[in-house]
Amino acid sequence: MTNAARQPSQYELLATRLQKIINAPAAQKSKTALLYKAPDESAEDWAQVLAEIGETDNVTIAYRDDGGVHLFWVVQQDD
C-alpha cells in the first residue's frame, strides 16, 4: 500500500486549468473565454482538449492569430 496519491497527468492539469478559466464568474457572465496554451503544455494535449471542447453543443471556437483560442457559448433556456 502506498500513501502517495496518483499525480494528475499533464492532460488533466491542462484541462483543469482551462476549466477554471471557463468557469470564472466573468467568463460565465460574458459567455466567452480567451485561452492560451502555456509553453510547458504539450501541443497534443492542447489539441485534444480543444477537440473535446469543440464537441460540446452551443460552443464556438475561434482561433486567433496570436495563438490563442476564443471560446463563445450559448446557454439554452428551458421552456
Side-chain angles (χ1 to χ4, degrees):
M1 249 168 86
T2 179
N3 290 339
R6 181 185 72 81
Q7 292 296 311
S9 69
Q10 292 302 309
Y11 172 83
E12 290 168 329
L13 291 172
L14 168 62
T16 299
R17 182 177 73 81
L18 298 184
Q19 187 175 41
K20 286 179 183 176
I21 295 168
I22 293 166
N23 288 332
Q28 289 297 305
K29 183 176 181 180
S30 64
K31 297 176 182 46
T32 182
L34 188 54
L35 309 176
Y36 288 93
K37 184 180 98 47
D40 63 336
E41 293 168 339
S42 96
E44 293 80 17
D45 288 347
W46 178 250
Q48 182 180 351
V49 168
L50 292 181
E52 291 171 3
I53 291 171
E55 292 172 0
T56 305
D57 289 342
N58 304 311
V59 174
T60 301
I61 298 177
Y63 293 89
R64 296 168 44 108
D65 291 341
D66 65 0
V69 174
H70 208 155
L71 297 183
F72 305 90
W73 60 91
V74 177
V75 176
Q76 296 295 325
Q77 299 296 322
D78 291 333
D79 292 329

